[in-house]
Amino acid sequence: MSRSGLTRLVVVAVAGLVVALSLATVRSTGALWSDRANAASATATTGALTLVAGSGSGSPYQFPGLSGSNILTGQQIQAPLLISNGGSTPLRYRLTAAGPVLTSGPAATVVLSGAVGGTCGAGTLTGTAAFTPITTSTPAPATGVWRTLARGASETWCVRSVLQSVATGTGSSTYKVAFTFGTEQIRP
């Protein structure tokens, strides 16, 4: 065998060794370990996670205090919404979607806003904002602020709906406003 043939053979052998070591390294970097431990005894406790909005009827909750019928463009309706923790564990919750659900007539666009605490009268909403105002003609995603409720606790939101526009067509619109909430358990 000539000197150039031997050099080629050495280069090929070294390259093959590098490839083999690379593949072995990649294959062995996975988690190849496990662990176990026995416990003498343990107690697991479960609970119920229940958020009650208003009368608690249905999910999403359709808020009868904001139903739209015979409303003029620009007219506002606002009403208090009682939100309660009806479960057996503390929770946190937020509004995840809201908007009108049309029952008859052309599409209606509303502006929804809400505040926790304060008063629920005409004029500017007082209290802490419960969610970023939403302008929509159908239930849409909402950016709600996480709120906490202890077991058995409740708080009142003042929610406002302003009819912004009605799609062209004949007749008037009738709608209900639906709210969807997300909840999470808080460890006691």
Side-chain angles (χ1 to χ4, degrees):
M1 184 178 283
S2 70
R3 187 172 188 138
S4 65
L6 185 58
T7 304
R8 269 192 215 139
L9 183 61
V10 170
V11 168
V12 169
V14 170
L17 182 62
V18 168
V19 169
L21 287 174
S22 296
L23 291 174
T25 302
V26 168
R27 182 179 168 105
S28 68
T29 59
L32 299 177
W33 54 269
S34 66
D35 195 10
R36 280 186 202 177
N38 292 327
S41 66
T43 302
T45 305
T46 62
L49 189 63
T50 306
L51 181 71
V52 180
S55 63
S57 59
S59 179
Y61 174 67
Q62 290 191 0
F63 192 7
L66 295 184
S67 293
S69 180
N70 298 320
I71 298 173
L72 301 174
T73 302
Q75 185 176 351
Q76 71 180 24
I77 302 171
Q78 56 192 37
L81 175 61
L82 181 65
I83 300 175
S84 306
N85 181 348
S88 60
T89 184
L91 61 80
R92 73 181 198 150
Y93 74 98
R94 69 178 175 172
L95 184 68
T96 58
V101 176
L102 194 65
T103 54
S104 69
T109 300
V110 299
V111 178
L112 297 171
S113 55
V116 181
T119 59
C120 200
T124 305
L125 288 177
T126 60
T128 304
F131 56 93
T132 302
I134 306 164
T135 302
T136 185
S137 59
T138 60
T143 305
V145 177
W146 283 106
R147 308 279 309 161
T148 59
L149 284 176
R151 185 176 148 219
S154 63
E155 63 185 12
T156 302
W157 286 17
C158 180
V159 183
R160 175 180 291 163
S161 171
V162 179
L163 179 60
Q164 185 176 35
S165 65
V166 177
T168 57
T170 58
S172 61
S173 296
T174 303
Y175 58 88
K176 296 179 179 181
V177 177
F179 292 98
T180 303
F181 294 92
T183 59
E184 294 180 0
Q185 178 184 4
I186 297 175
R187 290 185 182 195

